Amino acid sequence: MGVKSMKVLNFGSLNLDYVYTVDHMVMAGETLASKEMHTFCGGKGLNQSIALARAGVPVYHAGLIGEEGEILLQTCAESGVNTDFIRRVSGKSGHTIIQVDRSGQNCILLYGGANRSMTREYVDEVLGHFAKGDMLLLQNEINLLNYIVDRACERGMEIVLNPSPYDSHLDSCDFSKISWFLLNEIEGRQLTGEKDPDRILARLGELYPEARVVLTLGAEGSVYRYKKEQYRQGIFKVDVRDTTAAGDTFTGYFIASILEGMPAPEGLKLAARASAIAVSRDGATSSIPMREEVRS
Ligand code: RIB
């Protein structure tokens, strides 16, 4: 496999995921007994770094951990992610409370913790190790995203943004500096104000004509669009156990395909296969497959 010589940096969150198996999602005013509870390593940033590493891409992860966060750093290291830029800060690590219902769907309550303690000094120090042509991957679970985008762009880095979860923190980001958007239908709707997937793609094309877009559509698969080029990929049907990190697995594997110079339709297929395996297993990082499994 020929991964380009550029370096890949993922500046992203690291979370402890407290996952509760429930009959249905708890409702306002309701007290609901859960059936099982497990703690997993997660966070969109960490999941995507691990997906990249398991897909065969050497990746540097930058991010912050707090109390009880050593396991997050250890999990990255054990999965082959370079952890030189992960730092320890005081206070709590990022964490989530995740409910997974009978159909495998989840709902996530996020506490940013250490992920939201980024400083400009730390960002500058990390980005100082990267240069023109290197790739930067970002999600929206850390603070200073706008600053990171601006500084990385000045350095000539190629920026891939997964604007997830979509919230007002993204409003201050200069999206014209983004080379790739990897997003789902809901995020696409929030970003463009359009509902229909074709209209979301068309609007993104108008707003950011130089950016390549991959839009995931749940059971409807995914679509790649760049200027006049457009490709679709369906999903691989499996028994769904837990959808947590399926999108992150898709993102990691699709980026691996870009770095290997694969044509977009093949990249979509590879990413769809990897995320199908992820939804058939429990947890976040624990569900992300190795490249050999995806191949077979
Ligand atoms: O995308 C899944 C991830 O989102 C979980 O691991 C959780 O930490 C949340 O950040």
Side-chain angles (χ1 to χ4, degrees):
M1 180 185 52
V3 174
K4 283 191 206 163
S5 62
M6 64 165 66
K7 288 196 276 185
V8 180
L9 169 66
N10 182 7
F11 226 122
S13 58
L14 303 106
N15 293 334
L16 290 161
D17 287 345
Y18 300 116
V19 181
Y20 299 82
T21 309
V22 291
D23 202 48
H24 61 266
M25 303 302 180
V26 68
M27 290 179 289
E30 182 185 19
T31 301
L32 180 68
S34 58
K35 294 181 188 160
E36 278 179 51
M37 188 273 167
H38 297 281
T39 305
F40 293 106
C41 291
K44 293 185 195 304
L46 178 149
N47 295 340
Q48 292 179 20
S49 281
I50 289 183
L52 279 161
R54 292 192 183 155
V57 175
V59 55
Y60 295 82
H61 189 95
L64 302 174
I65 54 170
E67 288 160 22
E68 296 172 7
E70 287 307 313
I71 180 81
L72 300 168
L73 191 148
Q74 212 180 312
T75 302
C76 279
E78 283 167 7
S79 304
V81 174
N82 183 305
T83 58
D84 291 355
F85 302 119
I86 297 180
R87 300 277 184 271
R88 296 168 180 86
V89 291
S90 57
K92 288 198 181 305
S93 288
H95 75 256
T96 61
I97 305 284
I98 303 183
Q99 300 175 54
V100 179
D101 73 8
R102 273 179 300 178
S103 67
Q105 296 306 310
N106 63 32
C107 82
I108 302 181
L109 180 66
L110 176 66
Y111 175 73
N115 296 312
R116 302 206 60 82
S117 306
M118 304 281 166
T119 62
R120 291 179 174 219
E121 292 69 30
Y122 169 59
V123 171
D124 292 343
E125 185 218 316
V126 173
L127 292 183
H129 294 268
F130 296 85
K132 191 170 169 56
D134 290 340
M135 183 182 269
L136 172 68
L137 171 60
L138 296 168
Q139 314 76 26
N140 186 31
E141 287 187 341
I142 57 172
N143 65 317
L144 288 190
L145 208 65
N146 54 351
Y147 183 76
I148 299 173
V149 167
D150 290 346
R151 295 291 85 80
C153 182
E154 278 169 15
R155 303 190 74 80
M157 294 179 80
E158 183 179 358
I159 307 174
V160 181
L161 177 65
N162 170 223
S164 181
Y166 197 97
D167 65 24
S168 59
H169 291 111
L170 286 166
D171 295 346
S172 56
C173 267
D174 184 350
F175 288 157
S176 69
K177 296 175 176 167
I178 307 299
S179 301
W180 286 86
F181 289 95
L182 270 63
L183 71 180
N184 68 25
E185 213 175 344
I186 298 166
E187 292 142 9
R189 196 177 294 174
Q190 288 164 314
L191 214 148
T192 61
E194 299 287 354
K195 279 191 184 148
D196 174 69
D198 288 328
R199 294 187 68 90
I200 292 173
L201 287 165
R203 186 72 187 127
L204 284 171
E206 284 162 17
L207 291 169
Y208 313 108
E210 297 313 316
R212 291 169 161 79
V213 178
V214 176
L215 183 67
T216 56
L217 304 168
E220 300 304 312
S222 55
V223 191
Y224 164 93
R225 179 179 164 141
Y226 178 58
K227 299 192 187 279
K228 298 234 171 310
E229 259 182 288
Q230 187 158 316
Y231 306 105
R232 281 182 179 269
Q233 170 67 51
I235 58 160
F236 291 89
K237 289 222 170 87
V238 290
D239 287 335
V240 178
R241 278 191 65 90
D242 180 354
T243 56
T244 314
D248 300 327
T249 304
F250 187 100
T251 297
Y253 269 83
F254 188 79
I255 294 172
S257 81
I258 303 171
L259 295 167
E260 289 171 31
M262 268 187 206
E266 274 181 50
L268 291 180
K269 196 174 200 174
L270 177 77
R273 289 172 76 104
S275 57
I277 297 175
V279 298
S280 67
R281 298 176 180 166
D282 291 329
T285 55
S286 52
S287 72
I288 302 169
M290 300 295 290
R291 185 66 177 253
E292 301 79 66
E293 296 173 79
V294 181
R295 216 176 269 137
S296 62

